[in-house]
Amino acid sequence: MRVDLNATAFFSNSSNQMESLLTATSFYVEWIKNNNLLLTLNRFYDKVPTAFGLSKSVEILPGEYVNKDITVTYQSPPVDFLNAILTATTGTFYGGNRFSAGITPSYVISKYFTLSGFYQYNHISFTNTSDYVAHVARLKVATALNVKLSINAFLQANSLTQVSALNFRLRYNPKDGNDLYLVYNETINNHGKRDPYLPF
């Protein structure tokens, strides 16, 4: 079991005024099989000089904000063939309220093949504007045919940007210190019919 207290501060180079301060108090416990639980209380002060947008309909106005949230993360025994990381966060966010939850499962099918995924749900609500809702999902396939040749494939989808991404990487290691990579990236537009129309 462990208790941590961390603080990070940023100051302006021109005025020496503090721009942001993050303090985090966390409690961590780990069991004999390496499954663990992490509980974190965060307090984030942020001085926003100019407005920025979370999406086309959600904009954070300039001002001083104090965001407070609590995060719970649990990891099942990583030595199991099937394991997962579960996380959830709730609290305030720039004048609104935020809730997010995610799961990262991993399945070791064999010593040559591993399948892993990720899903995260984010919901931020404000009183004077529409809510910010985003779903992010990822799927990763990793294969190691031998110590010299491995292949990784990665697919991600984001409901907010309506864009999917595909990544394929082949790695060949003929000898120590020498690696050859073949990488293919593809970005797919999921907008559908919009004005102006964007190509697939």
Side-chain angles (χ1 to χ4, degrees):
M1 289 184 287
R2 188 180 73 238
V3 176
D4 294 323
L5 176 61
N6 298 294
T8 305
F10 290 89
F11 295 86
S12 169
N13 288 330
S14 57
S15 64
N16 290 326
Q17 292 183 347
M18 186 171 63
E19 295 182 338
S20 64
L21 172 65
L22 172 63
T23 57
T25 305
S26 60
F27 172 73
Y28 175 83
V29 57
E30 182 176 309
W31 288 270
I32 194 169
K33 288 187 176 181
N34 291 329
N35 52 323
N36 57 77
L37 178 69
L38 176 65
L39 176 66
T40 306
L41 301 174
N42 297 300
R43 184 186 185 275
F44 180 53
Y45 164 81
D46 191 20
K47 186 176 182 180
V48 179
T50 57
F52 67 92
L54 295 178
S55 65
K56 291 183 178 180
S57 59
V58 178
E59 184 180 49
I60 305 300
L61 299 177
E64 296 185 2
Y65 297 90
V66 177
N67 303 319
K68 299 177 181 179
D69 63 59
I70 180 172
T71 300
V72 180
T73 303
Y74 174 75
Q75 181 177 9
S76 64
V79 294
D80 293 345
F81 289 109
L82 178 61
N83 60 77
I85 300 174
L86 305 170
T87 182
T89 300
T90 183
T92 58
F93 186 84
Y94 294 98
N97 294 300
R98 172 193 173 201
F99 173 77
S100 67
I103 180 172
T104 308
S106 179
Y107 181 40
V108 181
I109 300 176
S110 70
K111 64 179 182 179
Y112 305 107
F113 194 82
T114 301
L115 182 65
S116 59
F118 172 81
Y119 171 75
Q120 186 178 57
Y121 168 77
N122 291 287
H123 184 190
I124 304 174
S125 59
F126 298 92
T127 56
N128 299 325
T129 185
S130 59
D131 291 0
Y132 171 97
V133 178
H135 304 266
V136 179
R138 289 196 294 261
L139 179 65
K140 181 180 179 181
V141 178
T143 63
L145 305 179
N146 49 54
V147 294
K148 295 182 178 296
L149 184 63
S150 63
I151 299 173
N152 291 322
F154 175 87
L155 177 64
Q156 173 172 297
N158 188 319
S159 68
L160 190 67
T161 60
Q162 295 187 8
V163 169
S164 298
L166 173 66
N167 172 271
F168 174 87
R169 186 186 74 175
L170 182 145
R171 173 182 175 264
Y172 176 62
N173 175 240
K175 62 179 180 178
D176 290 342
N178 294 270
D179 290 285
L180 174 66
Y181 290 94
L182 176 64
V183 180
Y184 175 79
N185 288 304
E186 177 84 16
T187 302
I188 303 170
N189 168 41
N190 301 324
H191 281 286
K193 295 182 179 180
R194 298 191 67 179
D195 187 19
Y197 173 75
L198 298 177
F200 177 74

